[in-house]
Amino acid sequence: MQELLKKFENKKPEVIFEWSDSESEAEGWVVINSLRGGAAGGGTRMRKGLDKREVESLAKTMEVKFTVSGPAIGGAKSGINFDPADPRKDEVLKRWYKAVMPLLKNYYGTGGDLNVDEIHEVIPITESYGLWHPQEGIVNGFFHATEPEKIRKIGQLRQGVAKVLEDPEFTPNGPKKYTVADMITGYGVAEAVSHYYSIWGGDIKGKRAVIQGWGNVGAAAACFLAVEGVKIVGIIDKDGGLIKEDGYTLDEIRELFINRKGNKLSAPDMIPFEEMNERVWDLESEIFIPAAASRLITKEQAEKMVNAGLEVISCGANVPFADPEIFFGPIGLWVDERVSLIPDFVANCGMARVFAYLMSENAEVTDQAIFSDVSETIRLALQKTFDSNSSKTKIAQNSFSLALQELV
């Protein structure tokens, strides 16, 4: 696995598009790791301090993810080094998408990512420049769709991604309406845990979970785990957190989901971040969902969780461990050899899979069909890993080996 990984990590990306904004300090990159199958896909992120290496590593992560989610295309990513809280953000995004439009028309498909919203930013801006949908490049480059096929596939994408959820099984009750894009990644992260217990053995009901990050991924994963009877005992977010050792009820978790301030945890009895960061890693729990930013979990935090009885980690964040390596560093390997580590490209492939499903021939644009397809995709990936090696450890390494055999 390590040799295959090194070979894949060291291979130069096929396309690097570099941009400097004419009217601000913003700079950006599209990295296309390969044009496997004639196209590549990956979302657009924005953060201050982002660099080309981060975008390159994310493009490689996307390529591995497509071995699970489909279609069989190359990995790509867009990254803009700019403060998303800056009032000029919208203008920067408009100039960025204008510059990358030729790629998006022909062979690159994008979507939302960190600090860039698919429905409120990516779709309206690209549409104003004549793009039918941000995934149009994949429809053209990979599917070579005829005009009627293109109209149908893009129609399914437009309808499905922004679909307002109606089925109460997939959305928390409340005044706000949520879309497929809001809930699907967190749903997949929770389903990965559920399928893990059904394949490797054990009952998910009554297990205790700690959630890191209370954005769409972490909060949605917590809701879906609570439905399965999991007790959420700790939530840590950037401004603080909550602990309840006997576990929050499903109604309490849904309320915390609905009451978020933007993408942040908001509750009257929040524990300050420093205190929370001291206490949360020692909580007795079997399930851990890292769903905040990448590269946060230290070796010391991982050791504390393992000592407190951790069984399984389902990665909502890409590369959650504080290793500099693109995929697998010493902390990730240490964890993978001690507990069941479901890697990001399996656990958080929900949105990529939704795109692939909605571009397929017989896509049914219903809540049940879209969510069931994501669940089944994750189940098949975990079953394939189990069939190659049924051990409860080295799950991430075995999953990577299977993926890299397709790519290297």
Side-chain angles (χ1 to χ4, degrees), residues 167-328:
D167 190 328
E169 194 183 329
F170 304 116
T171 179
N173 309 322
K176 193 178 170 214
K177 297 289 183 194
Y178 296 96
T179 64
V180 167
D182 290 328
M183 303 300 290
I184 199 73
T185 306
Y187 171 76
V189 171
E191 283 295 279
V193 178
S194 179
H195 292 313
Y196 162 78
Y197 281 112
S198 63
I199 294 168
W200 272 269
D203 187 359
I204 190 171
K205 197 168 193 256
K207 300 282 184 192
R208 294 161 295 185
V210 167
I211 314 287
Q212 181 195 36
W214 202 246
N216 276 351
V217 180
C223 284
F224 290 114
L225 286 171
V227 169
E228 297 264 4
V230 172
K231 293 189 274 193
I232 312 297
V233 294
I235 301 162
I236 180 165
D237 203 23
K238 54 185 139 193
D239 295 337
L242 296 168
I243 290 173
K244 190 176 184 182
E245 291 188 34
D246 54 356
Y248 288 94
T249 65
L250 173 58
D251 286 343
E252 286 169 331
I253 289 296
R254 282 179 167 160
E255 200 170 313
L256 288 168
F257 181 105
I258 290 161
N259 291 339
R260 286 177 304 163
K261 292 276 180 284
N263 249 4
K264 293 199 292 191
L265 181 66
S266 174
D269 51 347
M270 263 169 69
I271 299 163
F273 180 81
E274 285 70 22
E275 185 190 334
M276 191 68 199
N277 202 30
E278 276 295 306
R279 292 171 59 190
V280 72
W281 313 110
D282 292 307
L283 284 177
E284 287 184 12
S285 66
E286 292 77 29
I287 299 163
F288 175 53
I289 307 292
S294 302
R295 306 183 193 282
L296 292 179
I297 309 296
T298 65
K299 176 83 181 293
E300 186 191 0
Q301 290 165 348
E303 283 175 350
K304 285 180 174 182
M305 287 190 284
V306 169
N307 292 337
L310 189 66
E311 293 176 357
V312 59
I313 298 175
S314 182
C315 296
N318 288 321
V319 199
F321 303 104
D323 289 318
E325 287 80 0
I326 291 179
F327 292 111
F328 241 132

Side-chain angles (χ1 to χ4, degrees), residues 122-137:
V122 186
I123 290 174
I125 295 171
T126 55
E127 216 171 60
S128 74
Y129 294 130
L131 200 71
W132 289 11
H133 190 274
Q135 296 285 304
E136 189 177 333

